[in-house]
Amino acid sequence: MSLPKRDGVHDRYYLIHKPGTSPEVLAEADLCIQDVLNGTARENHSAYPTVVRNHNGTPFLPDQLLERYLTGLPLKEFPCDVAVSLCDAMRRLVGWEEIRYTLEKYIEKQVQERFFLVGERDDGFTVFPPCTVLPELHPEDVDEGLLRFACYVAICHTVYGQSFESLTTEHILGLISQIRPDMVKELKTNGSGKLPPNIQKRKTKHLTASANDAFATIRITARDCGEGACEEALSYLIEILEQPEFPHSYSIEFRGPEKIYLPIPGLPKKGVHQLFACAVRYPRLHVRMENYARLAMQEDEWYNNLSDESCAMPGTFAVFALGLEGPKWWRLVCDYLDRCDDEHSSLQEKFIHTFFKKYGFTAQSLPVLVHGVQSMQNLKPAKEFRTLIANEESLDALLEIKGHLEYYLSEESGSNKRALAYLWRDVLWAIWGTAYENGGSKVIKTAPKELKEKYQQVFA
């Protein structure tokens, strides 16, 4: 079959949403949709935008394929399971971000605008407008399958989206709860239903626990904080995170009788902090704590129940607890710091201050500082740092870092002299603060005679 020549501006894919699109192109689009469902479609992320190709190689934009499919479904007796199958297949193929907007707009048009009076946002802070059910609407007039699909879309925003997308989840579920509160109550009680029953709820002699994937929450109430209770809590968390459908951003609400926290001033005294402070007391559980941390720590994901100023990537408290235990865990600490959001996350500064006060500046510990300055903007020094670095061993270790600084940058940046200079400047600032300025003249001037030369090499 010969397809029409593609639009010159969009010569990498066919457009199917324009009026007058040829029947041949639409037939290929429908074939592509079927291939997505069958698992035989291919995607191409190598160039922008992402395209999906059917088995003939014909390329389309994923959001246009999804829009075409959804608009062809009946709103009466809406086939929720069928719609979910395509959405899941498309998400696995191209990623959530490629289909998020299309799904959001579909729910806005087919649920919000059809069943609600949509008001005006009366301030500049509200993300969504106020919505009230149309007075003449009866719950039985609203198709249950369509509402279940809306619930699915709501949950996807939490499970697959970035942390702020939970606002969309709340908005959509808020709409549904005005029509079918029982449907939302079921989600709040049991989640999406995809988690195995023994993970949804668990009760042992040590603890009672539950997990809800729809609302991204894990609740654990421990009867004691002994080794057995901590082991069961860690195993439970690992089992949850091994479920592919569980959100990567979530809340851990832990309650236990021992209010123990890590010796790091300024960390939020929340249950999730308490849990790992208790668990780290038992050396046999350290490997399990690392297993949890490596499953949990993912860039741009968060513990949802911490305030903005205390925002932390999942795994944070496990990493901090292990990091203070000794060199065996410092590779984990560096891997964690590499994933931190350098624009929003700052709790690591409190850890780094405590860490170097405990271990000093050595050849083993200094990589943590280099990864640390890259993990956030403007890592401030602790006042003790100038004293802790003022010895021959520490300065030699710092000079060794300086000689191999390219190891801490990407291959491309490692050969960039400006990037190397910026990184070294950040390291010096993190130890000496403003005293690093003017070539560290103040530091060199007051240095002991036997260390002056090493200080000069550091600031050169």
Side-chain angles (χ1 to χ4, degrees):
M1 180 184 72
S2 176
L3 288 173
K5 183 177 174 57
R6 279 174 261 171
D7 186 323
V9 179
H10 303 292
D11 58 358
R12 289 189 55 249
Y13 51 86
Y14 287 94
L15 296 173
I16 58 176
H17 67 300
K18 288 185 173 182
T21 301
S22 74
E24 294 91 346
V25 169
L26 294 177
E28 285 290 304
D30 291 336
L31 182 61
C32 195
I33 290 168
Q34 192 57 49
D35 285 351
V36 170
L37 284 166
N38 295 341
T40 55
R42 291 172 293 133
E43 56 83 28
N44 177 18
H45 272 111
S46 61
Y48 180 82
T50 297
V51 297
V52 177
R53 298 176 185 274
N54 63 20
H55 63 260
N56 292 330
T58 314
F60 298 94
L61 295 174
D63 60 330
Q64 290 191 9
L65 291 173
L66 183 58
E67 182 182 9
R68 174 171 174 77
Y69 181 78
L70 291 176
T71 53
L73 296 177
L75 294 174
K76 188 174 175 59
E77 297 185 4
F78 183 87
C80 179
D81 292 344
V82 176
V84 167
S85 294
L86 180 76
C87 293
D88 279 346
M90 190 72 82
R91 173 187 53 76
R92 286 191 292 267
L93 185 65
V94 298
W96 166 249
E97 193 56 35
E98 292 289 338
I99 64 173
R100 174 190 63 81
Y101 183 77
T102 299
L103 289 173
E104 195 173 330
K105 286 299 173 185
Y106 183 81
I107 300 304
E108 182 180 311
K109 180 179 180 181
Q110 303 299 353
V111 176
Q112 180 174 299
E113 293 178 3
R114 289 176 63 222
F115 305 138
F116 293 85
L117 287 170
V118 181
E120 295 290 332
R121 292 187 301 154
D122 53 6
D123 58 54
F125 305 102
T126 309
V127 179
F128 298 98
C131 299
T132 53
V133 178
L134 291 168
E136 65 274 18
L137 187 74
H138 299 287
E140 59 270 20
D141 297 331
V142 184
D143 187 80
E144 180 171 331
L146 182 59
L147 290 187
R148 292 200 178 281
F149 183 66
C151 287
Y152 161 80
V153 173
I155 293 168
C156 282
H157 276 82
T158 290
V159 175
Y160 306 112
Q162 298 182 54
S163 55
F164 64 83
E165 290 182 42
S166 60
L167 295 173
T168 306
T169 300
E170 292 173 13
H171 174 68
I172 296 175
L173 293 181
L175 297 176
I176 298 165
S177 65
Q178 293 185 57
I179 301 173
R180 287 285 304 274
D182 59 310
M183 200 177 280
V184 177
K185 184 180 179 182
E186 172 67 19
L187 280 174
K188 289 182 176 180
T189 303
N190 298 317
S192 69
K194 292 182 179 179
L195 293 179
N198 71 325
I199 288 180
Q200 277 187 38
K201 297 189 186 304
R202 180 167 297 183
K203 189 171 184 178
T204 72
K205 69 176 184 178
H206 289 298
L207 54 83
T208 302
S210 64
N212 189 308
D213 56 342
F215 289 85
T217 55
I218 302 169
R219 294 185 174 92
I220 302 172
T221 301
R223 294 175 181 80
D224 65 90
C225 292
E227 185 172 353
C230 290
E231 182 174 19
E232 286 187 7
L234 291 172
S235 297
Y236 183 59
L237 291 175
I238 289 168
E239 286 179 58
I240 292 169
L241 296 194
E242 286 175 341
Q243 301 298 313
E245 304 298 325
F246 197 81
H248 296 145
S249 287
Y250 50 89
S251 302
I252 294 179
E253 298 172 10
F254 175 81
R255 292 183 180 180
E258 294 186 58
K259 303 299 181 186
I260 296 172
Y261 301 100
L262 298 174
I264 303 174
L267 290 191
K269 292 186 175 181
K270 291 282 194 173
V272 61
H273 178 185
Q274 177 191 357
L275 168 59
F276 292 104
C278 288
V280 79
R281 298 178 299 174
Y282 308 107
R284 191 174 65 83
L285 303 185
H286 289 179
V287 170
R288 196 158 299 188
M289 287 175 65
E290 182 191 20
N291 292 343
Y292 164 76
R294 291 203 176 277
L295 278 171
M297 56 191 202
Q298 297 194 37
E299 196 171 350
D300 299 322
E301 305 294 349
W302 307 96
Y303 283 129
N304 290 337
N305 57 333
L306 298 180
S307 60
D308 288 346
E309 63 271 17
S310 298
C311 62
M313 179 169 61
T316 290
F317 300 99
V319 172
F320 289 179
L322 290 172
L324 294 181
E325 289 295 304
K328 179 179 179 180
W329 308 107
W330 294 352
R331 180 68 257 169
L332 171 66
V333 172
C334 292
D335 291 344
Y336 164 85
L337 292 170
D338 287 346
R339 289 171 174 80
C340 281
D341 181 336
D342 63 359
E343 291 185 10
H344 300 99
S345 178
S346 61
L347 280 190
Q348 64 266 38
E349 182 178 81
K350 302 178 191 303
F351 164 78
I352 288 168
H353 287 179
T354 301
F355 176 85
F356 283 101
K357 289 175 191 176
K358 181 172 183 176
Y359 292 106
F361 295 96
T362 68
Q364 277 187 298
S365 68
L366 269 166
V368 171
L369 184 69
V370 185
H371 288 275
V373 300
Q374 294 172 291
S375 75
M376 63 179 289
Q377 297 180 9
N378 193 28
L379 171 60
K380 297 182 181 68
K383 62 180 185 296
E384 294 90 346
F385 282 6
R386 297 185 199 186
T387 304
L388 291 170
I389 196 78
N391 63 81
E392 187 173 0
E393 181 190 355
S394 295
L395 291 171
D396 282 341
L398 187 59
L399 286 169
E400 182 68 20
I401 291 283
K402 184 180 182 182
H404 299 94
L405 207 58
E406 68 275 8
Y407 295 166
Y408 297 91
L409 293 169
S410 65
E411 188 174 340
E412 182 180 333
S413 299
S415 58
N416 184 316
K417 289 185 178 180
R418 180 174 291 183
L420 289 166
Y422 281 147
L423 177 54
W424 187 241
R425 179 199 65 186
D426 289 343
V427 170
L428 297 179
W429 164 266
I431 299 173
W432 285 283
T434 55
Y436 96 93
E437 295 170 353
N438 300 316
S441 56
K442 289 183 180 179
V443 180
I444 296 169
K445 185 177 180 180
T446 57
K449 183 178 178 180
E450 66 273 14
L451 296 179
K452 275 190 190 294
E453 185 180 344
K454 292 191 184 298
Y455 276 112
Q456 287 168 345
Q457 291 174 35
V458 166
F459 289 103

